[in-house]
């Protein structure tokens, strides 16, 4: 389609630009192949995951975000094997309870997934987790443009009730299968809920009030504290990718569990726990790479906000397009009416190159996403 080709041209601009520096405040703790080899297949026992969180907390981590959902109870927990013998079961460790106690002592924002299954009935909708923040809709005449899921896949109760807070980590690809934008908010059962990245940023800032600001067309910005995040009308941020996979600092979960890491790499940082292991199927397509770890998409979003390096498509983008088209039309009319026919092709090539440079400059200097193909 038209917009698909336009997106591909913009992807080409990302490749031409190459990698750019990050804020150095975002770290990924990777459940990689080495970690799985040493500590067993996923999902791990919850006592192992508790040790991972305790070690991060002891290193002075700023805030931890889980690109993981614990939707079922730990089947390896010893107390589950002794359910027919209550006295024995009470003496054996309950790994879910152990991890729940860990969560009360660690700065963790849990993850969950929203579902868009159209066959879900209202009475079958599950309750979403409570968020220790107030979301105020300001100027929005109609919030029907915001994504509205029909159900939720959340963590087991022993864990969910002990997180400091939670956020959804849905990444929704566009029609070509690429992750180019990520929703920061969704409306579920009439209430606004934040994404994992938005809630990590809010929690770290200590601000409780978040303003979702818009107009008749939909959302324009999401604001809290010193942050003003531009979004499209649906509430999605266009991801300004910093580079190829592993642009951000990765630390193997194996090293965290074995205390084989430098605490300075963790202290005060935003830490995302996710996986790059091929067998766990959390790989995505993005402009730089067709097999990109999903957790690193969230790392890019946090970095974009921390550095203020946004890409934005204004609601009145059509006006920009019309003005540019008229300028181009006028230019070519004036030039082609006075030059010799032999100069038409060279002039056209120079004009197209100049246009490309103009759009490149607008995209990466001013963060304006214009319709290049149009």
């Amino acid at each position: 389609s038209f917009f698909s080709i336009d997106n591909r041209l913009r992807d080409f601009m990302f490749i031409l630009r190459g990698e750019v520096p990050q804020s150095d405040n975002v770290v990924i703790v990777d459940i990689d192949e080495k970690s799985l080899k040493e500590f067993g297949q996923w999902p791990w026992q919850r006592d192992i995951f508790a040790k991972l969180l305790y070690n991060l907390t002891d290193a002075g981590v700023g805030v931890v975000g889980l690109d993981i959902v614990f939707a079922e109870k730990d089947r390896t927990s010893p107390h589950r094997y002794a359910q027919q013998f209550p006295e024995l079961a009470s003496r054996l460790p309950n790994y879910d309870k152990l991890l729940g106690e860990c969560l009360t002592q660690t700065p963790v924002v849990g993850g969950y997934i929203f579902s868009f299954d159209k066959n879900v009935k209202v009475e079958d909708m599950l309750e979403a987790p409570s968020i220790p923040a107030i979301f105020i809709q300001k100027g929005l005449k109609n919030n029907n443009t915001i994504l509205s899921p029909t159900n939720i896949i959340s963590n087991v109760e022993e864990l969910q009730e002990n997180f400091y807070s939670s956020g959804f980590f849905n990444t929704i690809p566009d029609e070509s299968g690429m992750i180019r934008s990520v929703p920061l908010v969704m409306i579920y059962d009439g209430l606004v809920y934040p994404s994992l990245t938005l809630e990590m940023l809010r929690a770290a800032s200590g601000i409780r009030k978040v303003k979702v600001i818009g107009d008749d067309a939909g959302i324009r910005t999401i604001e809290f504290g010193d942050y003003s995040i531009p979004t499209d009308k649906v509430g999605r941020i266009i991801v300004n990718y910093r580079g190829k996979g592993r642009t951000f600092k990765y630390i193997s979960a194996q090293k965290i569990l074995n205390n084989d890491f430098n605490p300075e790499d963790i202290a005060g940082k935003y830490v995302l726990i996710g996986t790059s292991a091929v067998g766990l199927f959390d790989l995505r397509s993005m402009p730089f790479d067709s097999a990109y770890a999903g957790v690193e998409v969230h790392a890019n979003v946090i970095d974009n906000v921390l550095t203020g390096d946004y890409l934005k498509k204004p609601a009145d983008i059509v006006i920009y397009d019309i003005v540019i088209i008229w300028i181009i039309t006028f230019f070519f009319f004036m030039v082609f009416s006075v030059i010799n026919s032999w100069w038409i092709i060279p002039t056209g090539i120079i004009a197209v190159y100049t246009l490309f440079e103009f759009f490149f400059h607008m995209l990466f200097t001013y963060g304006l996403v214009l319709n290049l193909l149009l």
Side-chain angles (χ1 to χ4, degrees):
S1 69
F2 176 88
F3 290 108
S4 178
I5 298 173
D6 192 67
N7 283 332
R8 294 287 182 182
L9 287 170
R10 198 169 298 112
D11 293 345
F12 180 62
M13 287 184 176
F14 271 101
I15 294 169
L16 282 181
R17 185 204 63 181
E19 295 184 2
V20 293
Q22 322 90 13
S23 64
D24 197 35
N25 283 324
V26 187
V27 176
I28 294 169
V29 170
D30 187 15
I31 301 170
D32 55 7
E33 303 289 356
K34 290 181 181 178
S35 304
L36 296 177
K37 186 175 181 180
E38 179 169 344
F39 294 96
Q41 66 183 34
W42 185 260
W44 286 338
Q45 296 174 187
R46 303 280 155 85
D47 63 326
I48 295 176
F49 205 82
K51 182 181 179 183
L52 181 73
L53 296 178
Y54 278 130
N55 287 355
L56 289 172
T57 303
D58 290 342
V61 67
V63 59
V64 178
L66 304 185
D67 186 29
I68 297 164
V69 61
F70 299 104
E72 298 177 349
K73 291 182 181 293
D74 189 343
R75 296 178 183 177
T76 65
S77 186
H79 86 288
R80 289 177 62 84
Y81 293 107
Q83 291 301 315
Q84 295 180 357
F85 309 96
E87 291 184 6
L88 177 61
S90 63
R91 298 175 189 172
L92 294 175
N94 180 338
Y95 289 162
D96 287 313
K97 186 177 179 182
L98 191 151
L99 180 54
E101 291 172 353
C102 166
L103 294 174
T104 64
Q105 304 168 52
T106 53
V108 178
V109 176
Y112 61 87
I113 304 170
F114 274 130
S115 167
F116 291 86
D117 185 354
K118 296 180 180 178
N119 297 318
V120 175
K121 299 177 182 178
V122 175
E123 57 268 23
D124 295 330
M125 291 176 66
L126 301 176
E127 186 177 348
S130 60
I131 307 296
I134 302 168
F135 286 82
I136 302 169
Q137 298 181 50
K138 192 174 180 181
L140 275 171
K141 303 299 181 185
N142 187 350
N143 60 17
N144 289 341
T145 60
I146 306 174
L147 293 170
S148 300
T150 55
N151 216 331
I152 185 173
I153 301 170
S154 188
N155 300 278
V156 293
E157 188 177 351
E158 294 98 319
L159 306 182
Q160 189 61 61
E161 63 185 13
N162 288 318
F163 286 123
Y164 166 76
S165 188
S166 302
F168 63 83
F169 55 83
N170 299 67
T171 53
I172 303 172
D174 59 21
E175 65 279 356
S176 64
M178 288 271 192
I179 304 294
R180 294 187 175 93
S181 59
V182 176
L184 292 183
V185 291
M186 292 192 198
I187 287 185
Y188 181 71
D189 200 19
L191 297 176
V192 176
Y193 288 90
S195 69
L196 177 67
T197 52
L198 180 61
E199 187 57 11
M200 286 177 68
L201 288 158
R202 186 208 63 79
S205 71
I207 304 294
R208 290 203 62 203
K209 221 176 258 189
V210 181
K211 296 177 183 176
V212 181
I213 299 174
D215 51 27
D216 293 346
I219 299 178
R220 281 184 175 270
T221 60
I222 296 173
E223 300 179 3
F224 60 95
D226 296 329
Y227 299 116
S228 179
I229 309 171
T231 70
D232 64 8
K233 64 181 181 180
V234 179
R236 296 174 298 195
I237 182 174
I238 301 173
V239 185
N240 190 354
Y241 285 103
R242 317 321 274 163
K244 296 180 180 179
R246 297 190 173 271
T247 301
F248 290 85
K249 185 172 186 62
Y250 274 70
I251 302 177
S252 173
Q254 172 204 37
K255 291 192 173 183
I256 303 294
L257 285 163
N258 292 327
N259 269 318
D260 181 24
F261 68 99
N262 185 351
E264 291 181 4
D265 292 335
I266 296 297
K269 303 291 179 69
Y270 291 82
V271 171
L272 285 156
I273 300 179
T275 179
S276 67
V278 176
L280 297 186
F281 305 106
D282 190 30
L283 300 179
R284 304 285 185 265
S285 293
M286 45 75 80
F288 283 104
D289 202 336
S290 60
Y292 193 81
V295 65
E296 197 164 351
V297 176
H298 305 303
N300 278 276
V301 173
I302 293 175
D303 183 78
N304 290 173
V305 177
L306 292 177
T307 59
D309 193 5
Y310 301 115
L311 298 180
K312 49 190 176 290
K313 184 180 286 188
D316 52 0
I317 190 72
V318 175
I319 297 174
Y320 287 81
D321 294 332
I322 291 173
V323 169
I324 293 171
I325 288 171
W326 275 109
I327 291 172
I328 293 170
T329 304
F330 180 76
F331 169 79
F332 276 105
F333 177 79
M334 294 299 294
V335 171
F336 288 168
S337 65
V338 296
I339 67 171
N340 186 290
S341 59
W342 290 103
W343 287 98
I344 289 178
I345 291 177
T347 303
I349 292 172
I350 293 170
V352 169
Y353 174 77
T354 303
L355 269 176
F356 187 85
E357 286 291 328
F358 169 75
F359 277 92
F360 187 91
H361 182 69
M362 294 300 286
L363 181 63
F364 295 119
T365 303
Y366 296 101
L368 277 178
V369 179
L370 302 172
N371 290 318
L372 173 60
L373 185 61
L374 183 62

